[in-house]
Amino acid sequence: MSGTLSLPRIMGHRGAAASAPENTLAGIRKAAAFGASWVEFDVKLTADRIPVLMHDDSLQRTTGDGRPAADVSLAEMKRLDAGSWFAADFAGETVPTLKETLVLLLELGMAANIEIKPSPGEDAETVTRTIAVLEQVWPGSASTSTPAPLMSSFSLESLKTLQEQSPNLPRGYLIEELPEDWQAVAERLGCATIHHYAKAVTAAQVAETKAAGYGLAVYTVNDPDQARELIDWGIDCLITDAPDVIARAIA
């Protein structure tokens, strides 16, 4: 799963979250239909320790089930509707497993930014289980032109576990507010990319990050004017709910 990393200019956020329910196979297909070559999505564990695509600790917002994801088995989760909350057209869409998602990405020829989004106390195990699925499904770099997944997280424990267990996979350090010691942390964890929050990043921080030699992604960019400004500042990658709109804006 090793390989070089080259960030795309546009990356679909949780698939194409402005046009399809987030973190679903329908959302990934929509991103592909919009021409995105990369998608970002979140991974956490079910009660029976299966990696699935889910952002929130609770299932409430996207399935209507108020239980924590960590307390629900995969079989139970698969009975939930993860599409109707977004639009009636997506009724019956299920929470996909990471394995199902990777198989679809390979079929579509798409690359992935997998955000490790652990439930409380599961920072290391979420990484271990995710890597196990990647090793089972994702081919070696010689077998595909699709690059190995970029693994990102806000969790420093998750990034450390990634570094220890799968050092060849590129890692991205997710940041909301840039801390003073960001570069020391990124160096210690061997990160290849920094992922800034679009509402907090400044031109000076972009210049600082780029000068230090890191690939730079910014989330979540849905406004065309902001997208153009960030590109002017030197951003490498715009992570967006609307890859179709933002691609047109910066064309």
Side-chain angles (χ1 to χ4, degrees), residues 25 52 72-81 92-97 100:
L25 299 185
V52 294
V72 180
S73 71
L74 178 62
E76 292 177 291
M77 205 175 288
K78 279 294 188 181
R79 290 194 287 268
L80 302 177
D81 183 338
E93 191 72 23
T94 62
V95 176
T97 65
E100 291 169 334

Side-chain angles (χ1 to χ4, degrees), residues 21-26 42-46 50-56 58-60 62-65 69 72-83 85 90 92-101:
E22 65 179 60
N23 285 323
T24 63
L25 299 185
D42 307 284
V43 169
K44 56 177 11 88
L45 300 179
T46 62
I50 306 300
V52 294
L53 273 58
M54 180 63 57
H55 177 274
D56 299 357
S58 168
L59 298 172
Q60 179 65 46
T62 57
T63 72
D65 188 310
V72 180
S73 71
L74 178 62
E76 292 177 291
M77 205 175 288
K78 279 294 188 181
R79 290 194 287 268
L80 302 177
D81 183 338
W85 70 275
F90 295 101
E93 191 72 23
T94 62
V95 176
T97 65
L98 175 61
K99 182 176 181 179
E100 291 169 334
T101 303

Side-chain angles (χ1 to χ4, degrees), residues 88-175:
D89 288 347
F90 295 101
E93 191 72 23
T94 62
V95 176
T97 65
L98 175 61
K99 182 176 181 179
E100 291 169 334
T101 303
L102 294 175
V103 169
L104 176 61
L105 290 172
L106 289 169
E107 290 175 0
L108 296 172
M110 298 183 79
N113 172 190
I114 301 176
E115 180 181 343
I116 301 297
K117 200 78 173 179
S119 295
E122 298 184 351
D123 302 63
E125 187 180 4
T126 304
V127 170
T128 300
R129 300 282 183 172
T130 295
I131 289 173
V133 174
L134 283 168
E135 290 178 341
Q136 178 186 4
V137 177
W138 202 265
S141 57
S143 305
T144 177
S145 59
T146 306
L150 168 62
M151 312 297 293
S152 64
S153 191
F154 287 99
S155 165
L156 300 187
E157 183 181 350
S158 291
L159 290 171
K160 183 174 184 291
T161 306
L162 282 163
Q163 183 182 36
E164 292 169 348
Q165 296 187 5
S166 194
N168 289 333
L169 284 177
R171 292 175 293 284
Y173 179 19
L174 270 160
I175 294 169

